[in-house]
Amino acid sequence: MDKKVIVFDFDGTLSKKGTNIWKALWQSVGYSVDRQSDFAKLYVSFMKGEITHQKWCDLTCDFLRDGGLNRDLLLCIAQKYQLMNGFEKTIKTLKGAGYELHIVSGGVKPVINYLIKDYRDCFASVNANDLLFDNDGRLTEIRGTKYDFEGKAIFINELLCENEGLTSSDITFVGNGDNDEWAYKSGCNTLCINPDNTDASNRTIWHDAIDNVESLTQILSKFTVQNKHSKYIDF
């Protein structure tokens, strides 16, 4: 199979680094996000395995709904975030060269869709936590993604199962944070850009890294993009 795939994280990878989107949501309705906050306690409970990812999302939904998060407020928050410089050129170049592109994020799907609305057709899939609202714009549910943390490797393994002839060396994961560190377990190539709370020099987890990415076009040096039959350049 002559096919190459790139799986992108979103927050801090395809978008400029800003306030963590989940912190922004909690803060937007008046909650604290310090170490003693309910926000922090839920995160710790999940990381310790005391609650499932979906339970984490359900409890988060309760807090945000009670705080008054609605569709309009979410849109206001989304407008504060920006795509990385060079996003359009990079994504169109890779797509034009024949790469299949995916987004796998622990962020918020409506925010991602808002930011990439002019480029959505460039991506085969967008995977993130989904916030659902009723007809009056009130938050009703947070449908958790199964593709965060260790789920990033699961997503890549599912791609391998769904595409006969595709091998792990045909797939590159591009991320920036500690929740991206599981991707390498799928056997794919991994590229860390603008590392945040992860050791980008760890060559078991990250096969290559670019520490200071000011324009996303800098990652193009890691791929050949002359034509649709282009192949990945080994690190």
Side-chain angles (χ1 to χ4, degrees):
M1 175 179 287
D2 187 14
K3 180 178 181 179
K4 298 294 177 179
V5 177
I6 306 174
V7 179
F8 289 98
D9 171 50
F10 189 78
D11 298 319
T13 300
L14 293 180
S15 67
K16 293 181 180 179
K17 184 178 178 181
T19 302
N20 174 276
I21 184 59
W22 291 106
K23 285 185 177 181
L25 293 179
W26 282 70
Q27 290 174 320
S28 73
V29 291
Y31 292 120
S32 169
V33 292
D34 63 26
R35 291 186 178 183
Q36 286 72 47
S37 66
D38 290 310
F39 168 85
K41 290 175 182 177
L42 290 180
Y43 175 76
V44 171
S45 292
F46 168 70
M47 293 303 291
K48 287 183 176 180
E50 297 171 351
I51 58 175
T52 65
H53 188 273
Q54 186 55 54
K55 184 65 174 179
W56 181 19
C57 290
D58 292 342
L59 293 171
T60 297
C61 184
D62 291 341
F63 276 103
L64 295 179
R65 184 193 303 113
D66 291 345
L69 183 69
N70 57 42
R71 187 186 289 111
D72 290 341
L73 182 52
L74 181 62
L75 176 59
C76 290
I77 295 168
Q79 291 171 342
K80 297 179 181 179
Y81 291 85
Q82 294 179 302
L83 295 171
M84 278 285 290
N85 295 333
F87 173 91
E88 179 177 6
K89 180 177 180 180
T90 302
I91 295 305
K92 288 187 175 180
T93 298
L94 292 171
K95 178 70 173 177
Y99 289 93
E100 181 176 288
L101 309 179
H102 297 265
I103 293 175
V104 178
S105 170
V108 176
K109 192 171 184 177
V111 173
I112 296 172
N113 283 336
Y114 171 79
L115 290 170
I116 68 165
K117 57 183 180 293
D118 294 331
Y119 313 100
R120 179 60 183 85
D121 290 346
C122 292
F123 295 93
S125 72
V126 175
N127 307 273
N129 301 288
D130 206 3
L131 274 62
L132 306 180
F133 300 87
D134 64 18
N135 291 335
D136 295 319
R138 293 174 297 201
L139 180 66
T140 59
E141 180 183 355
I142 297 179
R143 193 168 295 167
T145 178
K146 66 177 183 177
Y147 299 132
D148 199 9
F149 297 93
E150 64 272 19
K152 301 212 172 186
I154 292 172
F155 177 83
I156 295 167
N157 284 328
E158 288 181 1
L159 282 180
L160 292 170
C161 291
E162 293 167 1
N163 293 271
E164 184 178 353
L166 189 69
T167 68
S168 58
S169 63
D170 296 322
I171 302 175
T172 302
F173 177 85
V174 184
N176 78 312
D178 53 351
N179 68 319
D180 299 321
E181 291 179 347
W182 281 264
Y184 85 95
K185 293 187 176 182
S186 67
C188 73
N189 303 294
T190 56
L191 171 64
C192 184
I193 66 173
N194 292 334
D196 182 22
N197 201 32
T198 187
D199 180 6
S201 67
N202 185 327
R203 287 297 172 261
T204 298
I205 295 173
W206 298 109
H207 303 138
D208 197 12
I210 309 175
D211 290 337
N212 298 299
V213 174
E214 296 183 358
S215 172
L216 196 62
T217 57
Q218 290 171 243
I219 75 168
L220 293 175
S221 65
K222 304 299 180 181
F223 305 90
T224 54
V225 293
Q226 287 84 357
N227 57 65
K228 66 180 181 180
H229 301 296
S230 59
K231 296 183 179 296
Y232 180 77
I233 296 177
D234 291 334
F235 295 133

